[in-house]
Amino acid sequence: MKNLFLVLIVLTIVACKNDSKKYTLPISSVEIETILEDSTLSIRALQILDSKSLAFGANNNTYGLCDMESNKWLISEQTHDSLNLEFRAIGNNSEDFFMLNVGNPALMFKTSNSGIMELVYKEVHEKVFYDAMAFWNKQEGIAIGDATDNCLSIIITRDGGNTWQKIPCDKLPDASNGSAAFAASNTNIVVKGSKAWVATGGKVSTVLYSGDKGETWEVFQTPVIQGLETTGMYSIDFYDDMIGFAIGGDYTKPDNNSANKIRTIDGGKTWELVAENKEPGYRSCVQYIPNSDGKELLAIGFKGMDYSNDNGTTWTHLSDEGFYSIRFLNDSVAYASGQGRVSKLLFKRN
């Protein structure tokens, strides 16, 4: 009898925990605090390095590091010859910070023991245009960009970012049909475990998938809007190995909300349209909110900020404030970057 009583207590506690998780209050509002303001900067690449550090890459050769506890910034410029560099792809492998510029030539820099940024990759081609970067672990990372031949540009490191090799087109899906990628928010690539998903856009908008850290690749079709150079997926995120979401549209028609939001529950193999012909329209970045069981999403763009607590089925407009990219510190605090600023976002639930 005593053992039965203990079992009932345990079951009650578990049920209460499940109920509290199930009935988590949705986000109702957001407080926005600008922590960096510079009208000359367009900041499309943002990265939380650890619990105390935030980094960004921008135009005008500029990148920055913030102490999130004090909101103090160290702003630097990385020059190379007389080029005007724009860093839209940045990343970190828990030891070093990396940044990669768009345009020709492509230049990858990493932190070094000397305290300066070291050039570790250079690619010269009239069509070169790199978009995003991510790391699986300390040793292995990936960066992706538009096609220079008949496949997307994908470079891989296996030695902690000291050297990078470009994957030849005979090992990648064909992209001669007009498939490209957008350097809008450094979020059209996601890595988890040994997996990687790359969201392409343009005339053909598909998801490239690798289950073995870039050794082999396959392509998954999507129902997202496509057909023009400005259409398709602009951002993708996965909550776990199976649940994912992508958003985009056409930045030249930002109010168009037809076929611009898709989700998957089978690891990206199949995708379905959601919130068809409903807000939001074009957005440049989407992220799952941590600890939300794959239910909560935040989408941002230059037309504002929107929230979903049912994996994208319905959305609530939170703010008209425009941003390009967002990264979550936890389930209630995030940092967002945009034209001329970086802001701290505090989400309220009631």
Side-chain angles (χ1 to χ4, degrees), residues 117-147:
M117 299 298 287
E118 174 187 0
L119 181 65
V120 292
Y121 180 79
K122 181 177 181 179
E123 182 178 345
V124 178
H125 195 287
E126 61 181 0
K127 294 182 179 179
V128 71
F129 197 92
Y130 278 93
D131 306 284
M133 182 192 323
F135 281 85
W136 287 285
N137 50 52
K138 289 183 180 181
Q139 295 299 313
E140 296 169 297
I142 179 173
I144 63 100
D146 292 356

Side-chain angles (χ1 to χ4, degrees), residues 254-265:
D255 294 327
N256 186 353
N257 51 31
S258 175
N260 74 316
K261 300 172 288 292
I262 59 174
R263 70 183 173 200
T264 181
I265 58 172

Side-chain angles (χ1 to χ4, degrees), residues 41-57:
L41 296 181
S42 174
I43 306 173
R44 292 184 177 272
L46 194 67
Q47 187 83 27
I48 292 178
L49 305 182
D50 54 41
S51 62
K52 298 180 181 180
S53 303
L54 174 75
F56 76 80

Side-chain angles (χ1 to χ4, degrees), residues 270-339:
T270 61
W271 296 81
E272 64 171 339
L273 291 171
V274 294
E276 176 69 342
N277 297 313
K278 296 180 181 180
E279 297 299 331
Y282 164 79
R283 295 293 183 266
S284 57
C285 182
V286 66
Q287 294 284 280
Y288 278 99
I289 297 175
N291 306 316
S292 67
D293 198 30
K295 301 295 184 183
E296 294 187 308
L297 288 156
L298 205 288
I300 62 173
F302 62 80
K303 295 280 283 187
M305 182 185 312
D306 301 87
Y307 163 75
S308 174
N309 66 349
D310 54 13
N311 198 16
T313 301
T314 60
W315 293 81
T316 300
H317 189 65
L318 287 181
S319 173
D320 291 331
E321 296 276 1
F323 294 97
Y324 296 144
S325 189
I326 188 170
R327 290 290 188 273
F328 279 88
L329 179 64
N330 52 50
D331 55 15
S332 60
V333 178
Y335 290 83
S337 63
Q339 182 61 46

